[in-house]
Amino acid sequence: MTNKLRIDVSTDKIKDHLMSRIDTSDPVEVEKVGRYLKNIEMYRRMAKTVKEEGVSITIKNASQSFVKSHPLISEMNKVNAAIINIERTFNFIDGDENKNKQYSASDLI
């Protein structure tokens, strides 16, 4: 039996990991880490609320009643997109040595 994947990693661990992989003297990169963590916190709060209230809600309007998806689900999608966009813009200092390496003809020999 495989172990269940844990997604409840503390934001402190995420911050430590990201800060170890960026240039901490660059204020833009440090700001990105802060925004990334804020978005993760917002996403987790929204997920907790949706889990408590359920993914669908019942709307009552006079004699009518209908069920629709929880409004936070669409907001969660927006925050998730923001998290992914921030991830794409990180300039990590490790692991990029081979990513943009320029090769020459002598490398083929």
Side-chain angles (χ1 to χ4, degrees), residues 5-104:
L5 178 65
R6 292 192 59 207
I7 59 171
D8 58 343
V9 178
S10 75
T11 54
D12 289 335
K13 286 185 180 181
I14 295 171
K15 179 182 179 184
D16 292 342
H17 177 73
L18 290 173
M19 294 300 277
S20 70
R21 294 190 62 204
I22 65 165
D23 179 11
T24 55
S25 65
D26 185 353
V28 174
E29 290 298 312
V30 175
E31 172 68 18
K32 286 181 197 176
V33 171
R35 283 186 283 137
Y36 184 79
L37 294 172
K38 289 291 183 188
N39 278 303
I40 288 176
E41 290 169 358
M42 283 191 303
Y43 185 87
R44 289 180 177 177
R45 280 193 304 259
M46 288 187 276
K48 181 181 176 187
T49 301
V50 169
K51 186 176 181 179
E52 290 171 357
E53 296 176 3
V55 294
S56 59
I57 58 173
T58 304
I59 305 296
K60 295 178 183 173
N61 186 7
S63 63
Q64 296 178 335
S65 176
F66 56 94
V67 178
K68 71 176 204 168
S69 65
H70 200 291
L72 281 180
I73 292 176
S74 64
E75 294 303 314
M76 287 172 66
N77 288 332
K78 292 176 187 175
V79 170
N80 190 48
I83 289 170
I84 292 169
N85 286 333
I86 294 171
E87 286 174 353
R88 288 182 185 150
T89 64
F90 281 124
N91 294 320
F92 294 122
I93 55 176
D94 62 339
D96 286 343
E97 299 89 26
N98 296 326
K99 190 175 186 178
N100 295 322
K101 187 175 180 181
Q102 298 296 323
Y103 296 101
S104 66

Side-chain angles (χ1 to χ4, degrees), residues 1-6:
M1 186 173 180
T2 59
N3 291 338
K4 188 175 179 182
L5 178 65
R6 292 192 59 207

